[in-house]
Amino acid sequence: MSIDNLPPLREVIATHELSARKSLGQNFLLDLNLTAKIARQAGELTNCDVLEIGPGPGGLTRGLLAQGARRVLAVEKDARCLPALAQIAAAYPGRLEVINADALALDPLAHLTPPIRVVANLPYNIGTELLVRWLTPPAWPPYWQSLTLMFQREVAQRIIARPGSKAYGRLALLAGWRTDARIVLNLPPEAFSPPPKVSSAVVHFTALPVPRYPADAKTLEQVVAKAFNQRRKMLRSALKGLAPDIEDRLLAAGIKPTQRAETVGLEQFCALARQIKKT
Ligand code: SAM
């Protein structure tokens, strides 16, 4: 049984000639049972506005609406997808708003009413950038309650990585600082059309009411980006330039200047961000 009375996604793609474009990170989900399953991972949607980035032909959008989302705001860069999305909007009157825009350039808040959840099968080329933006607004809690996002599996593993592991870095620190993040679904390449080269995973992030440790978001982001940019170097060299007396600040944060970034935990990185922000 279909989750709605709309045509199957293969037919939608054929009718609207939506051949996938690599430059837009287009790997479409065609199985509506799977998109409904992803939508269920987002939690209770009936009282929420959902922000979806990159709806494409609308498989996940249909999953979200069928799961009872109060409203969906779908931001899609590719104008070719608009007629297919208009058909979905007509099937769910007043519940789907589509904006033809670049998600990196749009402030979605003007179009949303809290509580808000974000759910997306992200275009891989902008996924990390969007995630870092969602995790690093100056004030916390953010406008969203949760993020349910598809990433390449390797990126998902970096998000949930523990200190000391190879995958540990900027993403794990920023996610761990202000959210609870876990992998809720693994998907093989064949789940998509066309199949990408790598496997994927859905990560669910719940916003914590307050960050685990105090720190200025911008400073913390700069510190961890620089620290892991040269992850094999000792921190006193990797962070040179951030502050003239970087060794003293590292010591004040409880970090040995000779330590490498991957051995430093979240609490110490937050302490270091506070030491650096002092100037
Ligand atoms: N949600 C659909 C699905 O699951 O089948 C499509 C997912 S596909 C991986 C990513 C989508 O994001 C594409 O539809 C693509 O056109 C769109 N996209 C790419 N860059 C974008 C951007 N900067 N802003 C908004 N949408 C973008």
Side-chain angles (χ1 to χ4, degrees), residues 24-29 52 54-56 75-78 101-103 121-123 126:
L24 287 167
Q26 293 183 334
N27 299 98
F28 301 133
L29 290 166
E52 185 193 358
V75 182
E76 174 56 62
K77 190 173 177 182
D78 186 353
D102 178 346
N121 174 12
L122 291 173
I126 61 165

Side-chain angles (χ1 to χ4, degrees), residues 170-240:
R170 179 174 76 129
L171 292 183
L173 279 152
L174 295 179
W177 177 43
R178 286 172 150 180
T179 75
D180 268 327
R182 63 202 164 88
I183 292 182
V184 289
L185 215 57
N186 286 301
L187 286 94
E190 310 80 69
F192 302 86
S193 174
K197 288 203 178 69
V198 294
S199 296
S200 301
V202 176
V203 184
H204 183 76
F205 306 75
T206 310
L208 297 174
V210 284
R212 277 184 226 279
Y213 306 101
D216 171 68
K218 207 166 160 204
T219 313
L220 182 64
E221 218 251 296
Q222 278 172 348
V223 169
V224 294
K226 222 166 156 43
F228 285 95
N229 213 2
Q230 299 180 292
R231 57 190 296 142
R232 294 222 188 84
K233 283 201 175 168
M234 294 177 195
L235 280 170
R236 70 168 170 230
S237 335
L239 297 180
K240 212 165 57 189

